[in-house]
Amino acid sequence: MLNFQMIKWMKDLFPICRSITGEGTRKTLSYFEKLNPEFKRIKFKTGKRVFDWVIPKEWNIKNSYIKHSSGKKFAEFKKSNLHVVGYSKPVNITLSKKKLLKHIYTQKNQPTSIPYVTSYYKEAWGFCLSENEKKKLPNGNYKVFIDSKLKKGNLELSHAILKGKSKKEIFFSTYVCHPSMANNELSGPVLLNAIMQYIKSNYPKRKYTYRFVLLPETIGSIAYLSKFIKIMKSRIVCGFNLTCVGDERTYSYTCSRNGGTLADLALKSALLEIKNVKKYSFLERGSDERQYCAPGIDLPVCGFSRSKEYPEYHTDKDNFNVVTQKGLMGSFKIMKKIIDTFEFGIYPKTKTLAEPNLGKRGLYSTISKKGLHDEARKLRLNLIAYSDGKTNIFKISKLLNISLDRLNQEYKILKSKNVLK
Amino acid sequence: MLNFQMIKWMKDLFPICRSITGEGTRKTLSYFEKLNPEFKRIKFKTGKRVFDWVIPKEWNIKNSYIKHSSGKKFAEFKKSNLHVVGYSKPVNITLSKKKLLKHIYTQKNQPTSIPYVTSYYKEAWGFCLSENEKKKLPNGNYKVFIDSKLKKGNLELSHAILKGKSKKEIFFSTYVCHPSMANNELSGPVLLNAIMQYIKSNYPKRKYTYRFVLLPETIGSIAYLSKFIKIMKSRIVCGFNLTCVGDERTYSYTCSRNGGTLADLALKSALLEIKNVKKYSFLERGSDERQYCAPGIDLPVCGFSRSKEYPEYHTDKDNFNVVTQKGLMGSFKIMKKIIDTFEFGIYPKTKTLAEPNLGKRGLYSTISKKGLHDEARKLRLNLIAYSDGKTNIFKISKLLNISLDRLNQEYKILKSKNVLK
Amino acid sequence: MLNFQMIKWMKDLFPICRSITGEGTRKTLSYFEKLNPEFKRIKFKTGKRVFDWVIPKEWNIKNSYIKHSSGKKFAEFKKSNLHVVGYSKPVNITLSKKKLLKHIYTQKNQPTSIPYVTSYYKEAWGFCLSENEKKKLPNGNYKVFIDSKLKKGNLELSHAILKGKSKKEIFFSTYVCHPSMANNELSGPVLLNAIMQYIKSNYPKRKYTYRFVLLPETIGSIAYLSKFIKIMKSRIVCGFNLTCVGDERTYSYTCSRNGGTLADLALKSALLEIKNVKKYSFLERGSDERQYCAPGIDLPVCGFSRSKEYPEYHTDKDNFNVVTQKGLMGSFKIMKKIIDTFEFGIYPKTKTLAEPNLGKRGLYSTISKKGLHDEARKLRLNLIAYSDGKTNIFKISKLLNISLDRLNQEYKILKSKNVLK
């Protein structure tokens, strides 16, 4: 099902050279717009002010390499788009090895990996090599060739609204601005698109409205916020920034700035029965939760990831050895659990004062005898006891230390038996 | 004094076969109504709707047994009223041992005890035997005889209001629906009646109003709430459900649903200096605090017990080996301490700004010398420091980690010396 | 600089015999009034009611001793003014050693120390000796001579207001009522005067208003409050009672009554990076925070000390072996840190929505590469993230676990670069 598609989508998109602007990102957005036609493209022109920032020039690149006087090529863009520093200006010169080396980036502590480097806001050029390759560069002169363009253009992003009965929104955001990397790029967008498809097929008549955005990190979310902050602040009740959601190593979440939002509570309870969960405070944030939770923005948004920290991060090793369909499906299931919970209802409320008569509904043993009070019965009574219409099911889950799945299952029974609404 | 009476009352009432309705419960209520004539009987007719429940038929029983074809009788009601399943319908048939066994209940892990079993809301019949007795039942046919009646009648309960200067109420509730068991039945009612007598004789001019109810568990408290919830919600500031208050093993309390009520604070501080105290969260509630703290009811009520969990619970072993006058008096003293505190005043307030001059009142050494600052002086100053008229004495007790008795003693001194009001 | 003066001031004032009233205290106040001419004297007449207290008679003493019939003198006032019990009435009698001993005070567990003893509110007389001296008193009769006077007069204190742009006040209080002791007397007043000089020279145009008081402990602060409580309650946002601030042993603070005030937060964060800090709950208060935090007074005041508990306390050993210029300067730096923080601004606020573009301001690497995220950059982003204009810098310091100095340094940079206001 969805899992095969996620990996397929990723493999389709992996080779494309994305950046915060340019053809690669446009292609990527178009691909997802076909999967989910509800997406609408939004463009911000180069030079436009968005809060404290200015939309940069659009960057496009066709080719790049360095060529030794012997004719041997190194750092060929066509072999890996990580070889060129993102946003490198066009270059076509010959220089000494010594001078070239000032433009070479490596990751010394990971000598076989090509690091990922960018310079969006200051014109520069450079190449990324593995430390081992760098060591092998022969002496002599080099031709440096970067066939790129920096010109006035657009920063583009796509967003979609799936309307529900309520104007209250659940928000999902992820980014499309990294070249060929798997976990820290494509895992987020494919999960977001899978979530969209899931909601459309499972909840054609939705309770909540859902907002989705695919955008370049930082500048993209800032641009988007500058346009929609008012409506977002008034409608979003729970949101997640999806990043690095495709590995199988752990589950992680990054708390919102002041904690305690529906997003924080939902994630905590959705991860309750999972053992290997890493909680990051807002002080350890890294992605667009930086913008969504900034002072004055203050959206109820958490970061959700499998592994936030992993050795392959920001290198060419972040590939399909890191991301698997199992890993992606793990993330999908957590998000699905939260969506299902919202759609079923998150504020259970008893329909009667005092305890309901469960026996007459077949929900309680009619014989009273010591030892019959099993865990199932205890859970049933405890869920009812906290169903005051004000305590959300995520809080109840934490209070009872019962997984969201188990609690929702019980909630369903009690709703069907007219005990809760 | 009161302790001898409590045990005497219990012994008078122990043999009676009580249930949620019927003559046994009526007799029990009448007994207490003689001890405390302020009690008034309230009746709910069979079939009446109370919240989500319906008052069941009235059950009465004269005799029951099973008789082997040899003439030997087993499970004789006249030997123990626990032998018959509560609310058993009338039966007079002969059947095989195999068929009979389907109606026999035992407590396998306590093979010498007769368990206590009921089936209030579904017509059934059955007998309770010790596992050892059951094993000894000879082969052959048995006559089963239950001389009971299930008919339209009443569910009855008694309540009493002792009016005080304030309409604010302290509430005590316990149940009268179990047959011959001591801790999990009669200990609560006799304690409640002792409390009533104590208040009347010690506080004829009361500050607070006191509400007392003796009722069948669950259905009784639900019926009572259905009639009085409005007034109870507007007046009750602190309440206790008394159950299993007669053993000497430990002290226990069950927190209210959201905790932090005056009842929670009062019990915590009254038990402060006692070592063996068990705190149960609301998730581990078992008795009528289930109703008093249900969503929408939300009364400030805690459960108070000596042992909530003990092996003799709900068997014929719950007798006067478990309940003692010492055990009952232990519970009485805790409740007395709380009542005395309320009647003396729970919001101490200084009568002057800044520290009072204690020296001129003989409450402070007039010589100032290092090492004279003893614990007594420290307590005195600390009580004054928190007497802001808003912090109740239970909170102060917790804050200072000083027993309620010691604190009240100091409060009395400071009130008499015009330092506090 | 200021440190040399503090020790010099202390040495000038050390020999004077101070008490809660009298010439010694007057001289001490005059001395400080020369250092900081903003001080104004306030007098309360003997017999005047101040809240629950009455201003006592004024006490003055010229000389005192006990003289053995052999002519040998003991406990000579001229050798140490601690030898006479404070507020001793005039005496000129001869009595037996046995009768004399009832008026002799020693500190048994510190046999070489003269204890400090007073009897302000009950007329009495007495002498303080070291336990060892007492043991050596020869048998026989003694002449007891105390050349003191108790007469109607004044209790005096000095206060000063350094006006700032805002009427909101930072408050400093300390006491001038102990005879020749160093840490538990003069360290507080000299620190307070150094603080005053610091504020005047460094902040001639102040943001906040500062209030300073030098007064006799307890009766002085009560008298002062009785006169100024209204204005103090409406203006003081943060205050410190300074006592025992001159040793090098540790740093201590005493929480305000309910905690969580700006004073509590400021002290906690100012002491964050210091290892040997002792926190005292309000239950362990000892000095004028007793009055400033009393119910109904409720000023946001904490106690600040180096060592609150030390063996030399209230003996003649509390001298310049205990107090050093290094110790005083340690205290000064903590107070300076808090003042500097208030004057720079305690509510940082971002000037833009979403994260500011730090790169264009030279505050962020323009090259993005894994491993470049150092602590400095993390701190910068985290300070910005909590600069919502509502969270004070002391709270942010605790939240980020970053010293106030480091945080202020960063705040300065971000203010200068127009990121924060």
Side-chain angles (χ1 to χ4, degrees):
Chain A
M1 287 193 22
L2 286 166
N3 51 344
F4 294 129
Q5 294 189 3
M6 281 197 272
I7 275 291
K8 183 192 167 293
W9 302 336
M10 279 187 74
K11 289 189 174 167
D12 288 349
L13 293 162
F14 190 78
I16 297 173
C17 181
R18 279 165 294 275
S19 186
I20 54 172
T21 61
E23 280 309 320
T25 303
R26 251 189 291 271
K27 264 190 217 166
T28 305
L29 293 175
S30 298
Y31 183 94
F32 289 121
E33 285 159 0
K34 266 172 216 150
L35 286 179
N36 284 295
E38 295 80 4
F39 273 121
K40 291 209 173 82
R41 193 77 64 93
I42 302 179
K43 299 180 185 181
F44 294 84
K45 280 194 183 153
T46 297
K48 182 177 168 57
R49 227 192 137 79
V50 288
F51 291 141
D52 191 46
W53 301 65
V54 173
I55 302 296
K57 286 181 186 161
E58 187 176 321
W59 182 65
N60 284 290
I61 182 163
K62 285 187 186 153
N63 198 10
S64 70
Y65 54 79
I66 47 184
K67 189 162 78 179
H68 185 247
S69 46
S70 67
K72 193 169 183 199
K73 283 185 180 174
F74 297 91
E76 291 176 75
F77 179 77
K78 295 197 168 158
K79 290 192 178 162
S80 167
N81 55 29
L82 270 71
H83 274 313
V84 70
V85 167
Y87 260 67
S88 279
K89 63 184 174 188
V91 178
N92 191 351
I93 50 172
T94 300
L95 37 58
S96 66
K97 182 182 172 189
K98 194 180 163 191
K99 283 190 176 162
L100 171 65
L101 285 179
K102 289 182 182 162
H103 295 265
I104 301 291
Y105 298 89
T106 69
Q107 196 72 30
K108 278 197 174 167
N109 58 344
Q110 294 174 268
T112 64
S113 299
I114 309 168
Y116 165 58
V117 179
T118 62
S119 180
Y120 300 134
Y121 298 100
K122 190 176 176 186
E123 282 203 9
W125 65 268
F127 287 88
C128 303
L129 275 79
S130 73
E131 179 68 15
N132 289 349
E133 280 176 307
K134 181 187 165 191
K135 281 183 186 154
K136 286 182 206 154
L137 288 177
N139 289 330
N141 285 339
Y142 285 84
K143 179 187 170 183
V144 171
F145 180 66
I146 303 180
D147 185 9
S148 68
K149 262 189 197 155
L150 277 162
K151 51 154 199 187
K152 287 197 179 176
N154 290 299
L155 177 144
E156 305 192 14
L157 56 86
S158 291
H159 79 148
I161 313 281
L162 300 181
K163 284 199 181 167
K165 210 177 152 190
S166 164
K167 284 189 173 171
K168 285 183 183 164
E169 294 183 3
I170 320 288
F171 173 54
F172 295 91
S173 177
T174 193
Y175 47 80
V176 284
C177 58
H178 295 71
S180 298
M181 289 184 291
N183 206 23
N184 185 32
E185 170 67 10
L186 287 166
S187 68
V190 301
L191 175 60
L192 184 142
N193 277 273
I195 290 169
M196 258 181 99
Q197 294 197 339
Y198 173 73
I199 291 169
K200 289 186 291 179
S201 64
N202 279 265
Y203 299 106
K205 293 189 175 181
R206 290 171 284 277
K207 199 174 261 184
Y208 285 88
T209 293
Y210 293 81
R211 179 183 295 263
F212 299 86
V213 291
L214 297 168
L215 39 69
E217 213 175 3
T218 305
I219 185 70
S221 54
I222 288 169
Y224 189 74
L225 283 167
S226 76
K227 203 170 161 73
F228 293 107
I229 177 64
K230 246 191 177 170
I231 205 163
M232 289 169 82
K233 283 195 77 160
S234 71
R235 296 190 175 171
I236 293 172
V237 295
C238 175
F240 302 103
N241 189 64
L242 309 175
T243 161
C244 303
V245 290
D247 64 281
E248 297 178 20
R249 293 166 187 172
T250 184
Y251 288 87
S252 314
Y253 70 100
T254 305
C255 301
S256 70
R257 191 157 65 97
N258 292 317
T261 69
L262 266 180
D264 295 270
L265 296 171
L267 258 182
K268 254 184 238 180
S269 66
L271 295 168
L272 192 70
E273 76 272 29
I274 293 175
K275 272 165 199 169
N276 190 16
V277 173
K278 275 191 164 179
K279 177 183 171 176
Y280 290 90
S281 97
F282 186 68
L283 301 179
E284 297 159 298
R285 71 204 174 282
S287 183
D288 279 333
E289 61 271 15
R290 285 162 62 170
Q291 314 311 328
Y292 298 130
C293 298
I297 304 290
D298 291 314
L299 293 173
V301 171
C302 286
F304 173 60
S305 304
R306 296 295 303 249
S307 295
K308 256 180 76 116
E309 297 164 300
Y310 56 101
E312 300 89 346
Y313 175 81
H314 270 200
T315 73
D316 64 327
K317 297 277 168 38
D318 184 350
N319 55 32
F320 294 96
N321 293 325
V322 175
V323 172
T324 65
Q325 59 184 48
K326 195 178 160 197
L328 288 164
M329 279 310 288
S331 292
F332 176 77
K333 280 171 193 162
I334 299 299
M335 290 296 116
K336 174 186 177 302
K337 204 189 287 191
I338 291 172
I339 292 159
D340 291 346
T341 304
F342 270 101
E343 288 298 323
F344 191 71
I346 64 168
Y347 294 103
K349 191 170 188 321
T350 54
K351 298 186 79 166
T352 175
L353 281 174
E355 280 190 355
N357 185 333
L358 295 176
K360 75 180 182 191
R361 293 175 172 87
L363 297 173
Y364 203 87
S365 166
T366 55
I367 283 280
S368 167
K369 180 177 173 298
K370 164 156 99 157
L372 284 179
H373 295 245
D374 56 9
E375 281 308 301
R377 193 170 92 157
K378 205 177 161 187
L379 164 58
R380 180 159 293 164
L381 286 173
N382 281 341
L383 171 55
I384 294 169
Y386 284 93
S387 292
D388 56 12
K390 286 172 285 184
T391 311
N392 66 58
I393 196 104
F394 308 119
K395 264 194 192 158
I396 296 175
S397 155
K398 200 191 162 193
L399 203 61
L400 308 192
N401 195 28
I402 295 290
S403 79
L404 210 45
D405 282 340
R406 180 72 191 83
L407 211 55
N408 282 334
Q409 179 192 336
E410 191 60 40
Y411 186 11
K412 250 167 229 175
I413 293 168
L414 292 170
K415 218 171 184 174
S416 74
K417 295 287 189 172
N418 222 19
V419 172
L420 298 181
K421 60 182 170 194
Chain B
M1 287 195 16
L2 286 166
N3 51 344
F4 293 129
Q5 294 190 4
M6 282 196 273
I7 276 291
K8 182 191 167 291
W9 302 337
M10 281 187 72
K11 290 191 172 164
D12 288 349
L13 293 163
F14 190 78
I16 297 173
C17 181
R18 278 164 295 275
S19 186
I20 54 172
T21 60
E23 280 309 320
T25 302
R26 249 191 292 272
K27 263 191 216 166
T28 304
L29 293 175
S30 298
Y31 183 93
F32 289 121
E33 286 159 359
K34 266 173 213 148
L35 287 179
N36 284 296
E38 294 81 3
F39 273 122
K40 292 209 171 82
R41 194 76 65 91
I42 302 179
K43 299 179 184 181
F44 294 85
K45 280 193 181 154
T46 297
K48 182 178 169 56
R49 226 189 138 79
V50 288
F51 292 141
D52 191 47
W53 301 65
V54 172
I55 302 296
K57 285 182 184 164
E58 187 176 320
W59 182 64
N60 283 289
I61 182 162
K62 286 188 185 150
N63 197 9
S64 70
Y65 55 78
I66 49 183
K67 191 161 81 178
H68 185 247
S69 49
S70 68
K72 194 168 182 197
K73 284 185 180 174
F74 297 91
E76 293 177 72
F77 178 78
K78 294 198 168 156
K79 289 192 178 161
S80 167
N81 54 31
L82 270 71
H83 273 314
V84 69
V85 166
Y87 259 66
S88 278
K89 63 182 176 187
V91 178
N92 192 350
I93 52 172
T94 299
L95 37 58
S96 67
K97 182 182 172 189
K98 195 182 163 190
K99 285 189 176 164
L100 171 64
L101 286 181
K102 290 181 184 164
H103 295 265
I104 301 291
Y105 298 89
T106 68
Q107 196 72 29
K108 277 198 173 165
N109 58 344
Q110 294 174 269
T112 64
S113 298
I114 308 168
Y116 166 58
V117 178
T118 62
S119 179
Y120 300 135
Y121 299 99
K122 188 176 176 186
E123 281 204 11
W125 65 267
F127 287 88
C128 303
L129 274 79
S130 73
E131 178 67 17
N132 290 348
E133 280 176 308
K134 180 187 165 192
K135 281 184 184 153
K136 287 182 203 152
L137 287 178
N139 290 330
N141 285 337
Y142 285 84
K143 178 186 171 183
V144 172
F145 180 66
I146 302 180
D147 184 8
S148 68
K149 262 188 195 156
L150 278 164
K151 51 155 199 186
K152 287 196 180 178
N154 291 299
L155 176 144
E156 305 192 14
L157 56 87
S158 291
H159 80 147
I161 313 283
L162 300 181
K163 283 199 180 168
K165 210 178 151 189
S166 165
K167 284 189 173 172
K168 285 183 183 164
E169 293 183 3
I170 320 288
F171 172 55
F172 295 91
S173 176
T174 192
Y175 47 79
V176 285
C177 58
H178 295 71
S180 298
M181 288 183 291
N183 207 22
N184 185 31
E185 170 68 11
L186 286 166
S187 68
V190 301
L191 175 61
L192 184 142
N193 277 273
I195 290 169
M196 257 181 100
Q197 293 197 340
Y198 173 74
I199 291 169
K200 289 187 290 178
S201 63
N202 279 265
Y203 299 107
K205 293 188 174 182
R206 289 171 283 278
K207 201 173 261 187
Y208 285 88
T209 294
Y210 292 83
R211 179 183 296 263
F212 300 86
V213 290
L214 297 168
L215 39 69
E217 214 175 3
T218 305
I219 184 71
S221 52
I222 289 170
Y224 189 75
L225 283 167
S226 76
K227 202 171 163 72
F228 293 107
I229 178 62
K230 246 191 178 170
I231 205 163
M232 288 169 84
K233 283 194 78 158
S234 72
R235 295 189 175 172
I236 292 171
V237 294
C238 176
F240 302 103
N241 189 64
L242 308 175
T243 161
C244 302
V245 290
D247 65 282
E248 298 177 22
R249 293 166 189 173
T250 185
Y251 288 87
S252 313
Y253 69 100
T254 305
C255 300
S256 70
R257 191 158 65 97
N258 291 317
T261 69
L262 266 180
D264 294 90
L265 295 171
L267 257 182
K268 253 184 236 180
S269 67
L271 295 168
L272 192 70
E273 76 272 27
I274 292 175
K275 273 168 198 167
N276 192 15
V277 174
K278 275 193 166 178
K279 177 182 170 175
Y280 291 90
S281 96
F282 187 67
L283 301 178
E284 298 158 300
R285 71 205 175 280
S287 183
D288 279 333
E289 61 273 14
R290 286 163 61 170
Q291 314 310 327
Y292 298 130
C293 297
I297 304 289
D298 291 315
L299 293 173
V301 171
C302 285
F304 173 59
S305 304
R306 296 294 304 248
S307 295
K308 259 180 73 116
E309 298 165 298
Y310 56 100
E312 301 89 345
Y313 175 83
H314 270 202
T315 73
D316 64 328
K317 297 277 169 38
D318 183 350
N319 55 31
F320 294 95
N321 294 326
V322 176
V323 172
T324 65
Q325 61 184 47
K326 196 178 159 197
L328 288 163
M329 277 310 287
S331 291
F332 176 77
K333 280 171 194 163
I334 299 299
M335 289 296 117
K336 173 185 177 303
K337 204 189 290 191
I338 292 173
I339 292 159
D340 291 347
T341 304
F342 269 103
E343 287 298 323
F344 190 70
I346 64 167
Y347 294 104
K349 191 169 188 323
T350 54
K351 300 186 77 165
T352 175
L353 282 174
E355 281 189 354
N357 185 333
L358 295 176
K360 74 180 183 190
R361 293 175 173 87
L363 297 172
Y364 203 86
S365 165
T366 56
I367 283 280
S368 166
K369 181 177 171 299
K370 164 158 100 157
L372 284 177
H373 295 245
D374 56 7
E375 281 307 301
R377 194 170 92 157
K378 205 177 159 187
L379 164 58
R380 180 159 292 164
L381 286 173
N382 282 342
L383 171 54
I384 294 168
Y386 283 94
S387 292
D388 57 11
K390 286 172 284 183
T391 311
N392 67 57
I393 197 105
F394 308 120
K395 265 195 192 159
I396 297 176
S397 155
K398 200 192 163 192
L399 204 60
L400 308 192
N401 195 28
I402 294 290
S403 79
L404 210 45
D405 282 341
R406 181 70 191 83
L407 210 56
N408 281 335
Q409 179 192 337
E410 192 58 42
Y411 186 11
K412 251 167 225 172
I413 293 167
L414 293 170
K415 216 171 185 175
S416 74
K417 295 287 188 170
N418 223 17
V419 172
L420 297 181
K421 60 184 169 191
Chain C
M1 287 193 19
L2 286 166
N3 51 344
F4 293 130
Q5 293 190 3
M6 282 197 272
I7 276 291
K8 183 192 165 293
W9 302 337
M10 281 188 71
K11 289 191 172 164
D12 289 347
L13 293 162
F14 189 78
I16 297 173
C17 181
R18 279 163 295 274
S19 185
I20 54 172
T21 61
E23 281 308 320
T25 303
R26 249 190 292 271
K27 263 190 216 168
T28 305
L29 293 175
S30 298
Y31 183 94
F32 288 120
E33 285 159 0
K34 267 172 214 148
L35 287 179
N36 284 297
E38 294 81 2
F39 273 122
K40 292 208 172 83
R41 194 76 65 91
I42 302 179
K43 300 179 183 182
F44 294 85
K45 281 193 181 155
T46 297
K48 182 176 170 56
R49 227 190 137 79
V50 287
F51 291 142
D52 192 47
W53 300 65
V54 172
I55 302 297
K57 286 181 186 164
E58 186 177 320
W59 182 64
N60 283 290
I61 182 163
K62 286 187 185 152
N63 197 11
S64 69
Y65 55 78
I66 48 183
K67 189 162 79 178
H68 185 247
S69 48
S70 67
K72 194 170 180 194
K73 284 185 178 172
F74 297 90
E76 291 177 74
F77 178 77
K78 295 197 167 156
K79 290 191 178 161
S80 167
N81 55 30
L82 271 71
H83 274 314
V84 69
V85 166
Y87 261 68
S88 278
K89 64 182 176 187
V91 179
N92 191 350
I93 51 171
T94 300
L95 37 57
S96 67
K97 183 182 172 187
K98 194 181 164 190
K99 284 189 176 163
L100 171 65
L101 285 180
K102 289 182 182 163
H103 294 266
I104 301 292
Y105 298 90
T106 69
Q107 195 72 29
K108 278 195 174 168
N109 57 345
Q110 295 175 270
T112 65
S113 299
I114 309 169
Y116 165 58
V117 179
T118 62
S119 179
Y120 300 135
Y121 299 101
K122 188 177 177 185
E123 282 203 10
W125 65 268
F127 287 87
C128 303
L129 275 78
S130 74
E131 179 69 15
N132 288 349
E133 279 175 309
K134 181 187 165 190
K135 281 183 185 156
K136 286 181 204 155
L137 288 177
N139 290 330
N141 285 337
Y142 285 84
K143 179 187 170 181
V144 171
F145 179 66
I146 302 180
D147 184 8
S148 68
K149 261 189 196 154
L150 278 164
K151 52 155 197 186
K152 286 196 178 176
N154 290 300
L155 176 143
E156 305 192 14
L157 57 86
S158 291
H159 80 147
I161 311 283
L162 300 181
K163 285 199 178 165
K165 211 177 149 190
S166 165
K167 284 190 172 172
K168 284 181 183 166
E169 294 182 3
I170 321 287
F171 173 55
F172 295 91
S173 177
T174 192
Y175 47 78
V176 285
C177 58
H178 294 72
S180 299
M181 288 184 292
N183 207 23
N184 185 32
E185 169 69 11
L186 287 166
S187 68
V190 300
L191 175 60
L192 184 142
N193 277 273
I195 291 169
M196 255 180 101
Q197 294 198 341
Y198 173 73
I199 291 169
K200 289 187 291 178
S201 63
N202 278 265
Y203 299 106
K205 293 188 175 183
R206 289 171 284 278
K207 201 173 261 185
Y208 286 89
T209 294
Y210 292 82
R211 179 183 295 263
F212 300 87
V213 291
L214 298 167
L215 40 69
E217 214 176 2
T218 305
I219 184 72
S221 53
I222 288 170
Y224 189 74
L225 283 167
S226 76
K227 203 171 162 74
F228 293 106
I229 178 62
K230 245 191 176 169
I231 204 162
M232 289 168 83
K233 283 195 77 159
S234 71
R235 296 189 175 173
I236 292 171
V237 295
C238 176
F240 302 103
N241 189 63
L242 308 175
T243 162
C244 303
V245 289
D247 65 283
E248 297 177 21
R249 293 167 187 171
T250 183
Y251 288 86
S252 314
Y253 69 99
T254 306
C255 300
S256 69
R257 191 157 65 96
N258 292 317
T261 70
L262 266 181
D264 295 89
L265 296 171
L267 258 182
K268 254 184 237 180
S269 66
L271 295 169
L272 191 70
E273 76 271 28
I274 293 176
K275 273 167 198 167
N276 190 14
V277 173
K278 275 191 163 178
K279 177 183 171 175
Y280 291 90
S281 97
F282 187 68
L283 301 178
E284 297 159 300
R285 71 206 174 281
S287 184
D288 278 334
E289 61 271 16
R290 286 163 60 170
Q291 313 311 326
Y292 298 131
C293 297
I297 304 289
D298 291 313
L299 293 173
V301 171
C302 285
F304 173 59
S305 305
R306 295 294 305 248
S307 296
K308 259 180 73 119
E309 298 165 298
Y310 56 100
E312 301 89 345
Y313 175 83
H314 270 201
T315 72
D316 64 328
K317 297 277 170 34
D318 184 349
N319 55 32
F320 293 95
N321 293 326
V322 175
V323 172
T324 65
Q325 60 183 49
K326 196 179 159 197
L328 288 163
M329 278 310 289
S331 291
F332 175 77
K333 281 171 193 162
I334 298 300
M335 289 296 117
K336 174 185 176 302
K337 204 187 291 190
I338 292 173
I339 291 159
D340 291 347
T341 304
F342 270 102
E343 288 298 323
F344 190 70
I346 64 168
Y347 294 103
K349 191 170 188 323
T350 55
K351 298 185 80 166
T352 175
L353 282 175
E355 281 190 354
N357 185 333
L358 295 176
K360 74 179 183 192
R361 293 174 173 88
L363 298 172
Y364 203 87
S365 167
T366 55
I367 284 281
S368 168
K369 178 176 174 299
K370 164 157 100 158
L372 284 177
H373 297 245
D374 55 8
E375 280 308 302
R377 194 170 92 157
K378 204 176 160 188
L379 165 58
R380 181 159 293 163
L381 287 172
N382 282 340
L383 171 54
I384 294 168
Y386 284 94
S387 292
D388 56 11
K390 286 172 285 184
T391 311
N392 66 58
I393 196 103
F394 308 119
K395 265 194 192 159
I396 296 176
S397 155
K398 200 191 163 193
L399 203 61
L400 308 192
N401 195 29
I402 295 290
S403 80
L404 210 44
D405 282 340
R406 181 71 191 85
L407 210 55
N408 281 335
Q409 181 192 334
E410 192 58 41
Y411 186 11
K412 251 167 227 174
I413 293 168
L414 293 170
K415 217 171 185 174
S416 74
K417 296 286 188 172
N418 224 18
V419 173
L420 298 181
K421 60 183 169 190

